[in-house]
């Protein structure tokens, strides 16, 4: 006798056929168009655009780390403002700058990306897991965009941490998903940055993040082809082996997705654009054995796209964290942006 519904749920997940997986005879471009349309629908997109962008810069100042920091807001949908911090490196060259969008995972807010400790425990997050993404990016000579994600920090979070559960469930009532809403904000941020900051090179926009930020990075890059490269960290893993077998935040869950896609298939929607996947050897949340299986699926897609050189797997020696010293060289190698190939 089995009374626990999770037993049946896991059995069904293990039997998933991933009906949107590309068939050998299907044209790759046709598959991407069909699969991207289906993923868009599963995420509850598109959403309603705001009639007025309502872009406004709140302040500009010289940052603590030798860069110019600009705080701005814009309306990503009616009645919803998105807040961002743009970091521009000091003594930037005359050529246009590559932009890396950085997304925090389940933390107390985007101030972690900025390397700014506000609450107790922030410093450990920053220094113990290389999570000061924006500060790293600006130090490398690129522009960095920190976006406060829905449910985090100023957008519904608390000093104790994120508060995703209620907005995620509200989104489901409306036929949306919280991860879809976050992807919508990312795409609207690209609209805003390219419209108002002429120093940004629209051909060289990347997205990165760790954990929940890595999840948003994967989905955003799969949906928005203006994103030229993606570097998700500690998020790339089979659905059943991660969010299926153990309880994760509600923002990870998309109704019905495991019947149609697994994570490797989402990577196929990013191909042939550079994809640097980062995992931890001992990450119990997103186990490496499943990440390796999904990477084999992803590599097959990149082979079919004619770009096997554009995907790399960085495996850090510890657990659930970003590995800056290992990941950035792979990013440089696959994008070429550090060497000025964006000129």
């Amino acid at each position: 006798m089995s009374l626990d519904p999770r037993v049946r749920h896991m059995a069904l997940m293990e039997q998933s056929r991933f009906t949107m997986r590309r068939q050998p005879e299907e044209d790759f471009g046709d598959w991407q168009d069909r699969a991207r349309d289906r993923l868009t629908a599963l995420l509850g997109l598109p959403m309603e655009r705001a009639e007025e962008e309502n872009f406004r810069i709140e302040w500009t100042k010289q940052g603590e780390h030798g860069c110019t920091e600009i705080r701005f807001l814009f309306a990503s949908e009616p009645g919803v403002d998105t807040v961002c911090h743009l970091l521009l490196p000091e003594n930037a060259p005359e050529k246009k700058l590559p932009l890396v969008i950085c997304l925090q995972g389940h933390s107390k807010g985007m101030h972690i990306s900025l390397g700014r400790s506000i609450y107790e425990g922030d410093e450990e997050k920053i220094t113990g897991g290389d999570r000061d993404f924006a500060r790293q990016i600006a130090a490398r000579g690129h522009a960095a965009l920190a976006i406060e994600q829905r449910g985090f920090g100023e957008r519904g979070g608390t000093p104790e941490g994120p508060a995703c559960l209620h907005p995620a469930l509200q989104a489901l009532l409306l036929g949306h998903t919280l991860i879809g809403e976050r992807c919508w904000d990312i795409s609207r941020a690209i609209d805003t940055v390219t419209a108002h900051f002429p120093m940004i090179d629209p051909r060289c926009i990347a997205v990165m993040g760790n954990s929940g930020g890595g999840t948003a990075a994967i989905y955003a890059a799969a949906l928005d082809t203006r994103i030229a490269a993606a570097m998700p960290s500690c998020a790339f893993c089979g659905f059943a082996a991660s969010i299926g077998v153990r309880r994760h935040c509600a923002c990870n869950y998309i109704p019905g997705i495991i019947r149609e896609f697994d994570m490797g298939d989402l990577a196929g929607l990013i191909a042939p654009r550079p994809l640097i996947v980062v995992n931890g050897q001992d990450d119990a949340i997103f186990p490496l054995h499943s990440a390796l299986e999904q990477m084999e699926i992803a590599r097959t897609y990149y082979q079919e796209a004619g770009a096997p050189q554009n995907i790399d797997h960085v495996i850090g020696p510890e657990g659930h964290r970003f590995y800056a010293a290992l990941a950035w060289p792979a990013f440089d190698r696959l994008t070429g942006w550090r060497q000025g190939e964006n000129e």
Side-chain angles (χ1 to χ4, degrees):
M1 177 168 50
S2 177
L3 301 178
D4 188 339
R6 291 174 296 182
V7 176
R8 176 62 174 162
H9 291 164
M10 284 306 305
L12 290 172
M13 283 188 273
E14 290 165 2
Q15 296 167 18
S16 294
R17 299 179 60 189
F18 309 113
T19 56
M20 287 304 302
R21 186 159 292 168
R22 177 182 174 270
Q23 299 303 306
E25 69 279 2
E26 188 172 12
D27 177 81
F28 190 77
D30 290 345
W31 171 79
Q32 282 193 318
D33 290 342
R34 182 171 66 90
R36 188 170 289 115
D37 286 346
R38 183 57 185 149
L39 182 62
T40 298
L42 286 171
L43 290 169
L45 298 174
M47 298 173 67
E48 184 181 356
R49 287 177 179 259
E51 290 186 11
E52 298 293 335
E53 180 192 25
N54 200 20
F55 169 77
R56 65 268 194 204
I57 293 175
E58 285 200 337
W59 48 255
T60 300
K61 65 181 181 181
Q62 194 64 24
E64 304 101 319
H65 311 294
C67 60
T68 300
E69 182 174 350
I70 304 168
R71 177 183 167 93
F72 67 91
L73 295 92
F74 65 93
S76 56
E77 60 171 316
V80 176
D81 282 334
T82 298
V83 59
C84 305
H85 285 229
L86 178 65
L87 269 58
L88 300 172
E90 191 177 37
N91 301 320
E94 292 298 323
K95 65 181 179 63
K96 289 180 177 286
L97 291 166
L99 174 73
V100 184
I101 299 169
C102 42
L103 307 167
Q104 276 301 318
H106 286 77
S107 67
K108 297 173 184 178
M110 67 175 172
H111 60 276
I112 302 292
S113 282
L114 298 166
R116 197 165 289 148
S117 180
I118 297 177
Y119 304 112
E120 183 178 354
D122 284 350
E123 192 60 36
E124 182 181 351
K125 284 278 187 183
I126 294 167
T127 60
D130 291 343
R131 291 185 175 94
D132 54 342
F133 307 137
R135 185 164 64 179
Q136 294 173 35
I137 293 160
R140 291 166 46 80
H142 296 161
L145 184 70
I147 300 177
E148 191 78 279
Q149 297 199 82
R150 300 187 190 210
F152 296 173
E154 297 179 59
R155 302 190 69 194
T158 74
E160 286 70 48
C164 302
L165 178 60
H166 194 208
L169 298 181
Q170 287 179 314
L172 293 177
L173 284 174
L174 294 165
H176 300 163
T177 62
L178 189 54
I179 191 67
E181 293 179 347
R182 288 171 178 167
C183 290
W184 182 260
D185 290 345
I186 293 165
S187 290
R188 303 291 70 78
I190 293 173
D191 294 342
T192 300
V193 168
T194 54
H196 294 281
F197 298 98
M199 73 288 291
I200 300 301
D201 189 340
R203 303 168 303 163
C204 298
I205 296 175
V207 63
M208 68 164 296
N210 188 74
S211 192
T215 299
I218 294 166
Y219 281 101
L223 293 173
D224 194 329
T225 57
R226 296 175 298 174
I227 295 173
M231 186 162 61
S233 171
C234 291
F236 191 87
C237 189
F239 291 133
S242 55
I243 64 174
V245 75
R246 58 181 55 81
R247 191 180 85 172
H248 280 240
C249 181
C251 66
N252 286 280
Y253 295 90
I254 299 163
I257 193 168
I258 199 170
R259 295 180 181 274
E260 304 186 45
F261 295 92
D262 212 344
M263 190 64 77
D265 302 303
L266 302 187
L269 290 174
I270 301 173
R273 293 165 285 156
L275 174 62
I276 303 92
V277 172
V278 182
N279 284 100
Q281 177 76 41
D282 301 320
D283 188 348
I285 305 175
F286 294 96
L288 182 60
H289 73 86
S290 179
L292 291 169
E293 292 170 357
Q294 294 302 310
M295 277 299 295
E296 287 305 308
I297 297 169
R299 290 186 190 280
T300 298
Y301 279 114
Y302 271 76
Q303 185 71 44
E304 292 166 347
Q309 74 282 1
N310 280 356
I311 185 170
D312 198 3
H313 198 189
V314 174
I315 301 173
E318 301 173 18
H320 191 73
R321 52 162 295 178
F322 184 54
Y323 297 90
L326 300 175
W328 285 118
F331 182 90
D332 291 341
R333 185 171 65 255
L334 267 63
T335 64
W337 296 352
R338 200 87 188 271
Q339 292 75 40
E341 290 183 12
N342 59 307
E343 295 179 3

